[in-house]
Amino acid sequence: MAASLSTDIILPNAPPDLLLPKHAGFLSKYGTAKDDYDYCMTEFLRMSGMYWGLTALQLMDRLDSVPKEDVVAFVQDCFHEGTGGFSPAKDHDPHLLYSLSAIQILAMYDEFKAVDCSKVVEFVQSLQQPDGSFFGDKYGEVDIRFSFCAVATLALMKKLDAIDTRKAADFILSCQNFDGGFGSKPGSESHAGLIYCAVGTLSILKEIDRIDGDALGWWLCERQLKSGGFNGRPEKLPDVCYSWWVLASLTILGRGDWIDQKALIKFILSCQDVSTGGFADRPGDVADPFHTLFGLGALSILGYEDETTVKLKKINPVFCMSQEVIDSLGIEVQILPGGGAC
Amino acid sequence: MHGRQKKERTAEEEVAKEKERCKKVAAYQYAMGLIFSKRGKKELDEELLKITQQVLASNPDISTLWNIRKEVLSVMKETDFTNFLDVVLQKELDFTEFCLKINPKSYGAWHHRTWLMKETNFSKVTSELKLCAKYLEYDDRNFHCWDYRRYLVENCSEVTLEQEFDFTTEKISSNFSNFSSWHLRSKILPKLPRDFLEEELELIRNAVFTDPKDQSAWFYHRWLLRSQLPAENPYLIAAQYSDTKLSLIFSSKSPIPSQSGVKVIDTDKIIGNLKWTNPWSNTCSKLWECQLPEANKNISIKADSSVMRNFGSVDLSLKHGDLKRNFPKYFDAETERKNDKFLSLLKEEISWVQELQEMEPDVKWPICTLIMLMRMVDFVKYKENILNHLDKLMKLDSQRINYYLDLRSKYLIEWKLVECSSLPGLDETVLDLSGLNLTALYYPERMCFQTKINLSNNALKNCEPFRALVNCKELNVSGNNLAKTKLESTIEGLKNLKIEL
């Protein structure tokens, strides 16, 4: 019965410093051994894996450690002329999840010209449903993750007018629950990752003020556990990736200071793998590019720096990309004013 | 990689593991090559099902392989529907279940099952519901399974709403910490045709007395009581007309007035093309302003009676220089007066939560709940109790101290505004909010007619709310954490403002 006893972890004593060179090494090495087991087994999400790794490298100002031409050629290889979507890897099927990652990568390199973007717009447009939601691909799965992918992809290409944005926002609001949070579709339980998708989509659509920032902000700051880490739902274990989903959402809601930032930093630093580099979900687990990006992303929002390392670049809380890139594209997101201005 | 622990291996073990992995990689690459080549040649046959099955069995997240299976299955369905329904479907369900055993959170596997159900008109719903029960037994928080279950229930007539409700009761009774069940209950309850309030409160009491630290039932409790309150649609609480500017204040965030049916009328004619703005360029705001085309007119505001309820539900006429306001003495549905029956129920709630709080003084949830309940019963009368409880929360739960400080600021401002609302000539006297340790300036729109505001010696740090103080002439913000240049640039539009900083 006493579930609250088993839903947190105890951190090892002193967390290591932020090991940026190790993380850069971990990421730029990732994928050099094409026959590596883990690498092959994650082929089905390769495009997103590339985006996670490259964004993390860019935050550390090490994007140049990966040959740009190879990356752009890979993205081009995954572009489906017929549908206008991107697949995670060659021969796989196109999907909104990987289309956003591909467009994020191209935006990072200022290489939209590498593909026919008007086709990408058509792909996204074709997946919007009458209720404003989005299919992930032609097989009909609906999820607000796909709403976020669709809206973010179009926003990066400055083509939001291709879809019904009001309906897209209305659908997001139809996924809101009794606790103020959002689930994957109407009726689904609230989950911090999906809240990020909801809040991010509304922010891009400049409709974030349609939600009650105080109610949702409270639910989100209640995700922080004694260990300093965040869980994604009540009575679950902490995980580094929720540092991002929760903190980015709170930042968009203008309430990033409602949590214990020092405790969160300690938790994130403890999830570094000091021998291989990279971050794991929890201390002692296997590191991967996904948790590495979200650990670094949260540290960037927190403005973390210590004497031994260079400062991380500023990250945009909505697009999860370096703020420089978002600025260079001239994109503005909506952040709630906070401080009582709601 | 979620929850994969790093294993320390000896050099020998490492070599063996690497060998095994090389084999797996070679097998994977061979199989994938074969699959894509067959698909390219449109050989959508049983062999393709077999090979994709081999790969998915060890990695059920490869969504393209599920897509390929759907292509093959569609062909089989087309060729021999009876066989598809009698034989193929069951095999496919068995295989999907096998994959779910490997990864119970596989998006691909769950969606494949959804697709199969749709393709076969939900003919296997009964056994599918059993499968869900089994998986929820194994992990009662698996949201994929809950979603799938809801999908089945929505698409068949086998499960009534009552049965669905009973299912959540069963799950909650076996584990009070099951937030997923409480969530589903919040969706079903409003659709049931009977009054459940007392029963629900009883269930919540059992849950929180069993484990007062568990958030689940507390969140549900909060929602349940608040859902009894009337829905608060925004309504007009003040209007000011000076020079050519019209300002409207609403009780809660309102969409742009032209969209919510507010019309501005100049002697029988609707003034068209008004450009409504608010200080934060938001789509919803409590403060809306617009410039009228001509000065010195007698105008009137027309809207639905619900929007105009604080002005006797009629049109509101305004002469140049007029300020008409009827600020309510409450701030949201939570602080509004309740009927006697509900009030006595809330008082009973206060009494048992207080009892639990005294038994468990170090647990924060009863305290959070008491604050909500006290605000619902009489937020002015309980002022001291609420402040004491907030102090306790800040000590017990210091991780969220900034949240509690903002909440405290909000309540302090509410009390102050209620206190001031009965004072005569309030716009010209100083609104004194000094020395309260305010960290946030809530309700700035209700201060917008104020000409003198003293906010000195607080802990304000965010300049945004100040944008609403459009009539302020003297503002004392000394002794705060506000950056001078930031504040000055934020409120640039405010004319003749003297700031003490």
Side-chain angles (χ1 to χ4, degrees):
Chain A
M1 237 5 106
S4 32
L5 294 176
S6 57
T7 47
D8 199 1
I9 58 161
I10 295 166
L11 290 188
N13 282 335
D17 290 335
L18 179 58
L19 308 165
L20 289 188
K22 281 233 160 196
H23 302 318
F26 172 75
L27 292 170
S28 47
K29 211 178 76 196
Y30 206 85
T32 47
K34 302 272 186 242
D35 291 334
D36 176 72
Y37 175 77
D38 280 335
Y39 188 78
C40 282
M41 289 305 130
T42 53
E43 183 186 62
F44 70 92
L45 51 69
R46 178 76 62 244
M47 186 68 78
S48 294
M50 300 263 274
Y51 151 73
W52 298 326
L54 294 169
T55 305
L57 282 170
Q58 192 171 35
L59 292 178
M60 296 184 278
D61 207 10
R62 290 289 305 276
L63 190 57
D64 55 8
S65 62
V66 177
K68 173 182 164 176
E69 301 69 36
D70 294 0
V71 177
V72 175
F74 170 80
V75 174
Q76 283 174 318
D77 257 0
C78 295
F79 183 59
H80 284 234
E81 291 280 352
T83 58
F86 292 87
S87 58
K90 200 169 184 312
D91 294 327
H92 286 245
D93 289 346
H95 195 284
L96 271 178
L97 286 170
Y98 310 108
S99 300
L100 172 59
S101 297
I103 290 299
Q104 283 172 311
I105 294 170
L106 295 181
M108 228 181 277
Y109 285 119
D110 190 19
E111 280 289 344
F112 282 151
K113 57 184 181 296
V115 295
D116 182 351
C117 283
S118 66
K119 289 245 172 76
V120 184
V121 175
E122 280 170 32
F123 177 69
V124 177
Q125 198 174 31
S126 72
L127 292 168
Q128 190 172 30
Q129 303 306 304
D131 65 356
S133 69
F134 284 85
F135 285 174
D137 61 14
K138 65 176 179 178
Y139 295 96
E141 193 181 2
V142 167
D143 193 308
I144 55 171
R145 289 181 302 147
F146 310 149
S147 295
F148 177 76
C149 292
V151 166
T153 302
L154 293 180
L156 287 169
M157 298 187 297
K158 301 277 183 69
K159 294 286 181 209
L160 272 176
D161 55 356
I163 53 160
D164 188 332
T165 52
R166 186 23 88 108
K167 275 195 169 171
D170 287 346
F171 176 75
I172 297 284
L173 291 169
S174 75
C175 299
Q176 195 164 24
N177 292 319
F178 79 112
D179 49 13
F182 294 81
S184 62
K185 41 190 146 317
S188 298
E189 182 184 347
S190 300
H191 179 291
L194 301 163
I195 290 173
Y196 168 82
C197 292
V199 166
T201 307
L202 293 173
S203 168
I204 296 171
L205 297 175
K206 309 267 194 313
E207 303 214 30
I208 188 70
D209 52 72
R210 288 173 74 188
I211 61 176
D212 179 349
D214 279 350
L216 180 53
W218 180 57
W219 194 88
L220 286 168
C221 75
E222 280 299 339
R223 298 305 103 238
Q224 188 165 32
L225 301 166
K226 282 272 181 281
S227 63
F230 289 118
N231 60 18
R233 297 186 279 160
E235 312 305 332
K236 300 283 270 182
L237 282 171
D239 177 330
V240 152
C241 69
Y242 294 114
S243 310
W244 173 261
W245 309 126
V246 175
L247 183 63
S249 302
L250 279 170
T251 305
I252 298 167
L253 295 174
R255 285 148 175 89
D257 66 341
W258 278 7
I259 54 145
D260 186 338
Q261 301 192 341
K262 275 194 188 135
L264 176 60
I265 289 173
K266 199 176 158 206
F267 177 86
I268 297 173
L269 292 177
S270 303
C271 294
Q272 297 176 98
D273 187 319
V274 293
S275 56
T276 61
F279 290 70
D281 57 350
R282 285 184 277 281
D285 284 357
V286 179
D288 60 68
F290 176 86
H291 289 94
T292 305
L293 170 62
F294 295 124
L296 290 172
L299 290 176
S300 164
I301 290 188
L302 294 165
Y304 177 81
E305 58 184 318
D306 59 28
E307 309 83 51
T308 55
T309 55
V310 279
K311 208 178 164 183
L312 288 166
K313 287 194 190 201
K314 197 174 169 225
I315 196 163
N316 180 284
V318 175
F319 288 95
C320 193
M321 296 167 70
S322 162
Q323 184 61 41
E324 285 172 357
V325 176
I326 301 303
D327 287 343
S328 71
L329 293 167
I331 295 168
E332 281 190 38
V333 295
Q334 187 192 15
I335 304 288
L336 282 184
C342 293
Chain B
M1 279 164 228
H2 286 99
R4 204 170 107 189
Q5 275 182 2
K6 234 179 128 162
K7 286 192 191 99
E8 296 299 331
R9 290 195 192 90
T10 63
E12 247 168 64
E13 282 169 339
E14 198 53 58
V15 171
K17 186 80 192 165
E18 195 46 45
K19 216 172 156 188
E20 184 200 319
R21 290 180 146 201
C22 281
K23 254 187 177 166
K24 278 189 186 167
V25 166
Y28 168 81
Q29 287 172 336
Y30 177 73
M32 291 301 275
L34 207 58
I35 289 166
F36 290 133
S37 124
K38 279 184 74 74
R39 190 194 205 186
K41 288 185 272 179
K42 297 223 171 359
E43 290 172 15
L44 303 174
D45 51 19
E46 285 207 46
E47 195 198 353
L48 192 51
L49 276 189
K50 215 172 104 189
I51 318 168
T52 51
Q53 177 160 342
Q54 282 162 359
V55 183
L56 283 169
S58 60
N59 191 347
D61 292 321
I62 307 171
S63 57
T64 301
L65 299 189
W66 290 113
N67 294 346
I68 293 173
R69 291 184 81 80
K70 289 185 186 86
E71 287 169 12
V72 179
L73 292 166
S74 296
V75 172
M76 292 170 99
K77 186 184 159 189
E78 199 81 352
T79 352
D80 187 349
F81 185 66
T82 326
N83 180 52
F84 181 77
L85 210 54
D86 296 346
V87 187
V88 182
L89 175 64
Q90 192 52 51
K91 270 196 194 159
E92 197 65 8
L93 288 172
D94 290 344
F95 172 59
T96 324
E97 194 182 342
F98 176 83
C99 293
L100 288 174
K101 275 183 198 144
I102 297 169
N103 179 8
K105 293 178 178 178
S106 164
Y107 277 100
W110 284 110
H111 182 251
H112 196 65
R113 259 187 129 81
T114 309
W115 181 83
L116 285 169
M117 285 301 112
K118 206 172 134 203
E119 288 297 300
T120 54
N121 288 322
F122 301 90
S123 59
K124 297 257 182 189
V125 151
T126 319
S127 55
E128 287 304 285
L129 286 167
K130 277 188 193 141
L131 172 109
C132 290
K134 192 164 98 187
Y135 272 79
L136 293 175
E137 198 72 41
Y138 169 65
D139 173 7
D140 60 16
R141 299 295 301 280
N142 183 339
F143 69 81
H144 299 272
C145 187
W146 281 107
D147 283 351
Y148 181 60
R149 193 176 181 286
R150 222 184 42 254
Y151 173 74
L152 294 174
V153 171
E154 278 164 12
N155 285 287
C156 74
S157 49
E158 288 186 35
V159 186
T160 64
L161 215 50
E162 288 277 353
Q163 285 170 321
E164 188 65 350
F165 187 72
D166 293 343
F167 182 73
T168 66
T169 313
E170 194 188 301
K171 296 308 282 178
I172 289 170
S173 308
S174 68
N175 175 14
F176 283 131
S177 175
N178 189 338
F179 194 73
S180 309
S181 294
W182 293 105
H183 158 80
L184 182 56
R185 228 170 154 78
S186 81
K187 296 283 169 195
I188 301 170
L189 203 65
K191 294 185 200 156
L192 287 174
R194 53 197 171 100
D195 181 19
F196 271 94
L197 188 55
E198 303 272 347
E199 281 171 55
E200 289 306 281
L201 290 170
E202 173 74 33
L203 183 69
I204 292 165
R205 265 198 302 275
N206 287 336
V208 299
F209 270 94
T210 308
D211 184 2
K213 288 192 183 121
D214 189 303
Q215 311 186 349
S216 314
W218 290 114
F219 275 119
Y220 185 72
H221 185 234
R222 180 168 288 256
W223 166 79
L224 181 70
L225 289 173
R226 284 185 170 176
S227 69
Q228 308 298 313
L229 303 172
E232 278 264 304
N233 290 320
Y235 54 90
L236 193 67
I237 57 174
Q240 187 188 35
Y241 174 30
S242 65
D243 298 324
T244 54
K245 195 174 80 177
L246 176 65
S247 309
L248 301 181
I249 316 284
F250 292 88
S251 60
S252 56
K253 284 198 280 187
S254 162
I256 186 162
S258 49
Q259 249 180 45
S260 48
V262 174
K263 295 180 182 78
V264 183
I265 307 211
D266 169 10
T267 47
D268 302 334
K269 271 211 319 269
I270 297 172
I271 307 177
N273 298 323
L274 288 176
K275 280 210 166 61
W276 291 99
T277 57
N278 66 71
W280 305 280
S281 309
N282 282 344
T283 46
C284 295
S285 173
K286 292 193 230 177
L287 169 62
W288 284 102
E289 297 180 310
C290 71
Q291 291 294 327
L292 297 176
E294 289 170 86
N296 294 319
K297 288 281 192 177
N298 291 339
I299 57 164
S300 64
I301 317 261
K302 211 182 167 73
D304 274 0
S305 59
S306 63
V307 176
M308 302 305 287
R309 62 185 247 200
N310 265 27
F311 295 97
S313 303
V314 293
D315 300 355
L316 182 66
S317 49
L318 291 167
K319 291 194 304 290
H320 177 252
D322 266 358
L323 162 59
K324 292 200 174 166
R325 104 186 93 189
N326 187 6
F327 283 170
K329 291 202 170 183
Y330 60 88
F331 294 86
D332 47 32
E334 203 167 291
T335 52
E336 194 179 351
R337 281 252 155 241
K338 320 284 182 304
N339 68 41
D340 290 345
K341 191 177 163 229
F342 191 48
L343 266 182
S344 66
L345 180 136
L346 289 172
K347 285 176 187 164
E348 281 169 38
E349 292 296 296
I350 290 186
S351 115
W352 74 256
V353 179
Q354 212 142 25
E355 190 189 317
L356 177 59
Q357 197 270 319
E358 281 156 19
M359 281 162 57
E360 304 269 358
D362 296 336
V363 183
K364 70 172 178 176
W365 295 99
I367 308 176
C368 290
T369 307
L370 280 173
I371 294 176
M372 176 192 73
L373 291 167
M374 288 173 172
R375 268 170 60 78
M376 286 173 98
V377 173
D378 188 334
F379 79 111
V380 176
K381 190 185 121 193
Y382 282 111
K383 179 176 171 180
E384 292 310 315
N385 303 62
I386 291 172
L387 283 173
N388 284 336
H389 283 319
L390 278 169
D391 280 344
K392 273 184 229 157
L393 283 176
M394 287 188 244
K395 285 189 195 102
L396 277 177
D397 187 23
S398 57
Q399 279 189 325
R400 275 161 282 270
I401 189 159
N402 289 338
Y403 164 69
Y404 297 123
L405 284 169
D406 281 2
L407 202 61
R408 181 179 168 279
S409 305
K410 182 179 172 200
Y411 297 165
L412 282 170
I413 293 170
E414 287 178 358
W415 290 316
K416 194 73 185 182
L417 289 174
V418 170
E419 198 184 298
C420 290
S421 65
S422 43
L423 299 175
L426 76 148
D427 300 328
E428 281 67 41
T429 54
V430 180
L431 174 65
D432 187 4
L433 287 161
S434 64
L436 295 170
N437 195 25
L438 300 180
T439 52
L441 190 60
Y442 277 84
Y443 306 105
E445 75 288 346
R446 291 211 192 186
M447 304 171 195
C448 85
F449 304 123
Q450 218 64 47
T451 54
K452 297 169 190 168
I453 305 175
N454 184 359
L455 286 162
S456 61
N457 302 315
N458 283 300
L460 295 171
K461 52 195 183 296
N462 187 329
C463 301
E464 288 299 324
F466 289 89
R467 290 183 197 271
L469 308 179
V470 289
N471 287 300
C472 195
K473 301 282 178 252
E474 289 176 29
L475 178 65
N476 188 343
V477 283
S478 56
N480 280 285
N481 307 323
L482 295 160
K484 187 167 190 277
T485 45
K486 180 86 199 276
L487 182 64
E488 280 169 351
S489 66
T490 307
I491 52 179
E492 221 168 9
L494 308 186
K495 283 177 199 134
N496 308 320
L497 175 65
K498 195 177 97 198
I499 306 175
E500 274 182 60
L501 197 105

